[in-house]
Amino acid sequence: MKKFDVKDIRNFAFISHGGTGKTTLAEAILFTAGASTRLGRVDQGTTVCDFDDDEKKRKISIGAKLINFEWKGKGVFAVVTPGYADFFGDVTSALHAVDGAVVLVCGVGGIEVGTQKAWKEADKHNLPRVIFINKLDKDNAGYFKVVDSLRQSFGNRCVPITLPVGQEKSFSGVAHLLTGTGIDALTGEVKEKVQECRTMLEEVAAESDDALTEKYLNEGKLSPEEIMRGLRKGVCAGTVIPIFCGSAEKNIGTTELMDGVCELMPSPIDKGAIAGLEEGKTRSPEKAAPFSAFVFKNVIDPYTGNLIYFRVYSGTLHPNSDVLNATTGVKEKIGAIATLCGKDQRHIDEASAGDIVVVAKLKGTSYNQTLCDPAHPIDYRKIVYPKPSVSYAVNPKAKGDEEKIATGLHRITDEDPTLVAHRNPETHELVISGMGDLHVEIVLDRLKKRYGVDIDTSIPKVAYKETIKMKAEGHEKYKKQSGGRGQYGEVFLKIEPLERGKGFEFVDEVVGGAIPRNFIPAVEKGIVGAMEEGVLAGNRVIDVRAILYDGSFHDVDSSEMSFKIAGSKAFKDACGKAKMVLLEPIMNVDIYIPSHYMGDITGSLNSKRGRIMGMEETGDLKKITAQVPIAEMFKFSNELRSITGGRGSFEMDFSHYEEVPAMIAQKVIEAAKKDHELAAKE
Ligand SMILES: Nc1nc2c(ncn2[C@@H]2O[C@H](COP(=O)(O)OP(=O)(O)OP(=O)(O)O)[C@@H](O)[C@H]2O)c(=O)[nH]1
Ligand SMILES: [Mg+2]
């Protein structure tokens, strides 16, 4: 592709609720721009963007894709994001790296949970936006119904700029309020609203600029050029959000959308200098400035290696040059640089401010890192990824594949920031956590395809803990004198509950050499060992102070071993009198649902021993904040999907440990006993 001035670069992301038509829209735009020779279809697996086998099979986008093309003298770099909630991580990364967003909204379904979520994410970056109301070719589409709800949810800064022609009978094109094309063809309700919509446009344009405000107040009107100027200023400042419309599938309204994006959305220069993490450090979005870029994504291909996606913030990068990874401090050698359009890589001679490009074969660079000129280091703000919400314990179907699973998972987490794999030290299980069941299913598919491991999944064990509720005393006189060398150690100790989270404290109050100094650490070791083993149901004991205050020894028979055993037994003896309880992990859960599912969800939370902590409402969407024991949350993902028909989503995060209610604790303890007996038999 030819090189453009930075002022002629537009980079943005397509975002929306799942299935609104982002991939199809990208297809239509690429075709219209002459960057592809045919209009592929998602349902036939023939699009530029959804080229991955997993995507073709499921007919949804799974990863963010880049497209790159020229549009009427502008160089465009767009990130086509997935809409399915499980892949929201890629929306987060894309919005971190771009200068604007095109938000698609369905002409039938209107604002959905995914729209709200993506919108909020764009808000975090104050990203300029335009809206595209898609699927207006569908029978039950309603343009103004959607416009009204957009204005209601996102404010009167959302104003129509194109209107549908023939929507009542047969949708055939769009009319443009500023250029006037197609206005004569409008009929019915849409025709009646032309004047009202023009006034809205004029008003938001006038409000964006002082000189225009004055002119509008004095003369009562603005010229189309003036409106355009005001709109551009408003869009860049986030005070105006123009609404375009059309049908991606029929390639209607897409030219007007792209013209609008190129005219109204900011270039990197409009966005201005970019702040580094270090106070006062910035870079100008100019070709001549020192090179800096942010890596927002990487994809590991088992054959071609690691492909690094980055957005250049400043300067110019040439092939075969040295850069510094300012986040890790590692020096990297850049080989070839390429633009990416779907899976099609084109080598380029230089990448400069505003461009979104890829490089391969960097040894130590991955997502969320900064690359820069080694002589002018700068590091940029990091992406905050969404947290995983579903977890499974994983085991290989074939014995001996543990190593392969670990390697495979390690590689996958190297490219997927929303997948967490760890061995739970409490339950000894290998647990993977992802954004949803589909996310986990795809990870398991990849492990099988790429690394040849078949995996069984199960609901993870809960990492219960144990603690005491009151002070108690413990005693053990450990004595063995049958044959060989004897053993002797006597221990008196007290235990007391500590505040939650304080762990373990050992206090030595032995006086007068009742236990010789050199055996005291052995007593502590014994106590620590007993705490790790657990007393009630085999879970780690926490938040206890143990005070060793007396004991006795034998000149010959006492040893470290005998005091260790005595310590352990005395501790267990004390625990038996200290009202032991089970503790369970409590999660902070944020649930997003359309308001009318409120009753069902609060009902579900009540049945899960959940505590509702707060509620927020934006438009038709409710956010419920709750605290729920993790033991109750393993199947919540499925339940939420079936209650809301896939329109709800949630995130969760560990909060704290809390006492398990007695009835439930009893069951857990009995189950642990049974497990223990079974294990002993084996
Ligand atoms: N009737 C009609 N169908 C459309 C239109 N745009 C997209 N579709 C269909 O809607 C479905 C989803 O389209 P995609 O382009 O995959 O939507 P997406 O937003 O990329 O979906 P995700 O990436 O999974 O979020 C496909 O079957 C498309 O053919 C449109 O304008 N009109
Ligand atoms: Mg898609």
Side-chain angles (χ1 to χ4, degrees):
M1 196 174 86
K2 88 179 195 232
K3 266 316 282 179
F4 294 87
D5 282 347
V6 180
K7 71 171 175 31
D8 292 325
I9 298 290
R10 296 292 178 274
N11 68 52
F12 59 89
F14 289 106
I15 54 174
S16 80
H17 186 76
T20 311
K22 299 170 295 294
T23 302
T24 310
L25 181 61
E27 199 66 20
I29 291 170
L30 286 171
F31 181 73
T32 311
S36 72
T37 51
R38 61 163 189 182
L39 268 173
R41 292 184 59 102
V42 171
D43 44 14
Q44 289 166 3
T46 51
T47 61
V48 170
C49 289
D50 289 356
F51 55 80
D52 208 87
D53 287 344
D54 287 326
E55 295 177 319
K56 287 184 187 173
K57 183 169 126 194
R58 296 178 172 87
K59 300 186 173 48
I60 55 165
S61 304
I62 288 168
K65 303 294 164 56
L66 298 184
I67 56 171
N68 172 228
F69 56 95
E70 178 178 352
W71 188 272
K72 300 181 186 171
K74 302 274 191 292
V76 179
F77 296 88
V79 190
V80 186
T81 66
Y84 203 95
D86 287 30
F87 312 113
F88 195 71
D90 263 10
V91 178
T92 318
S93 352
L95 293 180
H96 195 92
V98 292
D99 292 335
V102 173
V103 186
L104 279 77
V105 181
C106 177
V108 181
I111 299 174
E112 292 169 273
V113 170
T115 328
Q116 298 268 15
K117 229 176 137 193
W119 190 275
K120 276 204 171 148
E121 193 62 32
D123 278 346
K124 286 186 195 160
H125 302 275
N126 292 321
L127 277 187
R129 266 151 266 192
V130 304
I131 292 169
F132 184 73
I133 301 182
N134 190 33
K135 301 199 184 181
L136 287 182
D137 58 299
K138 286 197 140 184
D139 283 347
N140 40 359
Y143 177 76
F144 279 111
K145 197 176 75 194
V146 179
V147 168
D148 288 346
S149 72
L150 285 167
R151 287 167 65 83
Q152 214 171 17
S153 295
F154 305 129
N156 288 346
R157 58 187 172 146
C158 304
V159 283
I161 190 163
T162 64
L163 301 174
V165 175
Q167 212 208 293
E168 296 87 350
K169 291 196 190 98
S170 140
F171 174 63
S172 61
V174 300
H176 200 293
L177 281 166
L178 284 187
T179 62
T181 49
I183 295 285
D184 292 343
L186 291 173
T187 51
E189 184 205 7
V190 185
K191 188 176 176 181
E192 281 165 25
K193 292 212 170 173
V194 168
Q195 198 43 50
E196 189 188 323
C197 293
R198 255 202 199 122
T199 310
M200 284 185 209
L201 262 185
E202 227 164 4
E203 281 176 354
V204 291
E207 280 166 19
S208 309
D209 181 287
D210 289 347
L212 292 177
T213 314
E214 205 178 314
K215 175 150 192 232
Y216 188 59
L217 287 177
N218 290 337
E219 299 176 19
K221 61 188 269 212
L222 297 175
S223 70
E225 295 73 40
E226 285 166 334
I227 298 180
M228 204 50 145
R229 202 171 78 223
L231 288 181
R232 174 154 221 275
K233 223 170 155 184
V235 169
C236 292
T239 54
V240 177
I241 300 176
I243 305 175
F244 294 84
C245 67
S247 160
E249 192 152 279
K250 301 221 166 347
N251 199 359
I252 295 176
T254 44
T255 299
E256 289 78 0
L257 170 70
M258 273 317 298
D259 286 351
V261 165
C262 288
E263 279 175 79
L264 299 170
M265 295 268 255
S267 78
I269 297 202
D270 297 308
K271 295 283 277 195
I274 310 98
L277 281 173
E278 201 179 312
E279 183 88 33
K281 220 179 209 184
T282 60
R283 287 283 177 274
S284 297
E286 289 164 22
K287 287 190 180 184
F291 167 74
S292 70
F294 187 75
V295 179
F296 63 96
K297 180 179 167 77
N298 64 302
V299 173
I300 301 175
D301 184 292
Y303 305 106
T304 57
N306 196 4
L307 199 61
I308 306 284
Y309 293 48
F310 59 89
R311 182 251 155 97
V312 182
Y313 276 125
S314 64
T316 306
L317 180 71
H318 296 283
N320 306 317
S321 49
D322 293 321
V323 296
L324 171 73
N325 181 326
T327 314
T328 60
V330 172
K331 284 230 170 120
E332 293 275 21
K333 180 112 197 134
I334 301 280
I337 312 168
T339 58
L340 196 58
C341 193
K343 62 178 169 189
D344 185 19
Q345 286 185 34
R346 297 226 170 125
H347 287 184
I348 50 173
D349 299 334
E350 60 172 57
S352 49
D355 296 358
I356 298 178
V357 296
V358 296
V359 297
K361 301 195 179 104
L362 296 194
K363 52 183 191 294
T365 296
S366 65
Y367 57 81
N368 224 0
Q369 297 174 351
T370 303
L371 295 175
C372 62
D373 179 346
H376 299 91
I378 185 165
D379 196 5
Y380 290 119
R381 196 164 52 97
K382 299 291 174 281
I383 305 169
V384 181
Y385 296 101
K387 297 189 188 74
S389 53
V390 304
S391 296
Y392 288 95
V394 293
N395 270 307
K397 282 192 177 150
K399 274 220 163 12
D401 267 358
E402 285 82 1
E403 192 69 11
K404 268 200 213 163
I405 295 193
T407 320
L409 279 176
H410 192 68
R411 294 259 168 80
I412 293 177
T413 50
D414 275 349
E415 62 173 346
D416 183 349
T418 57
L419 181 79
V420 178
H422 81 295
R423 191 164 289 281
N424 186 325
E426 310 287 336
T427 62
H428 309 291
E429 286 178 322
L430 180 59
V431 177
I432 60 171
S433 308
M435 299 287 295
D437 285 340
L438 181 61
H439 182 203
V440 170
E441 184 188 313
I442 284 168
V443 167
L444 297 183
D445 269 8
R446 287 196 178 155
L447 277 172
K448 186 168 178 187
K449 230 175 357 190
R450 291 186 191 171
Y451 307 100
V453 266
D454 253 329
I455 286 180
D456 274 332
T457 58
S458 57
I459 288 177
K461 287 185 194 147
V462 177
Y464 291 105
K465 291 192 174 167
E466 300 172 9
T467 196
I468 54 169
K469 297 250 291 191
M470 51 190 271
K471 293 183 182 180
E473 302 213 358
H475 169 232
E476 170 69 22
K477 186 178 203 168
Y478 182 64
K479 209 164 134 186
K480 248 187 172 173
Q481 259 146 354
S482 53
R485 191 187 149 183
Q487 297 211 36
Y488 183 93
E490 184 176 27
V491 165
F492 288 90
L493 52 74
K494 291 184 268 194
I495 56 173
E496 310 176 350
L498 281 182
E499 209 181 297
R500 196 65 62 248
K502 289 276 191 260
F504 172 60
E505 244 180 69
F506 179 74
V507 183
D508 168 16
E509 284 182 359
V510 176
V511 286
I515 300 174
R517 290 287 102 205
N518 56 327
F519 292 140
I520 286 176
V523 178
E524 182 177 354
K525 252 190 223 157
I527 297 173
V528 169
M531 287 177 74
E532 272 165 16
E533 249 173 55
V535 181
L536 259 190
N539 310 283
R540 182 189 298 270
V541 181
I542 56 164
D543 303 336
V544 176
R545 174 184 292 127
I547 305 158
L548 175 65
Y549 67 92
D550 204 359
S552 66
F553 68 102
H554 184 279
D555 283 338
V556 181
D557 290 347
S558 280
S559 66
E560 280 187 14
M561 179 54 78
S562 35
F563 274 103
K564 193 174 159 198
I565 295 172
S568 164
K569 291 196 166 199
F571 178 77
K572 286 183 183 167
D573 174 46
C575 283
K577 306 169 207 161
K579 223 175 158 218
M580 279 213 104
V581 289
L582 270 191
L583 299 174
E584 63 183 338
I586 305 290
M587 308 301 282
N588 284 324
V589 189
D590 289 342
I591 306 165
Y592 302 86
I593 45 158
S595 299
H596 57 279
Y597 296 117
M598 190 64 200
D600 292 330
I601 297 296
T602 46
S604 153
L605 288 174
N606 284 337
S607 73
K608 296 185 161 17
R609 304 187 276 131
R611 262 195 309 265
I612 295 176
M613 313 293 284
M615 283 185 207
E616 265 174 55
E617 192 152 0
T618 27
D620 182 40
L621 197 72
K622 267 232 155 69
K623 174 181 166 185
I624 307 174
T625 313
Q627 290 195 330
V628 191
I630 196 169
E632 306 284 346
M633 285 303 290
F634 293 124
K635 291 189 178 145
F636 186 65
S637 172
N638 281 334
E639 195 181 330
L640 182 66
R641 189 173 326 120
S642 75
I643 292 177
T644 63
R647 298 175 64 203
S649 68
F650 78 106
E651 276 182 10
M652 68 177 179
D653 207 6
F654 171 75
S655 168
H656 62 279
Y657 269 89
E658 229 171 71
E659 192 178 329
V660 182
M663 291 273 286
I664 295 169
Q666 203 46 49
K667 283 186 195 150
V668 176
I669 294 166
E670 273 161 22
K673 262 193 201 135
K674 264 193 200 136
D675 277 355
H676 194 72
E677 281 163 17
L678 271 179
K681 265 187 206 157
E682 276 176 16

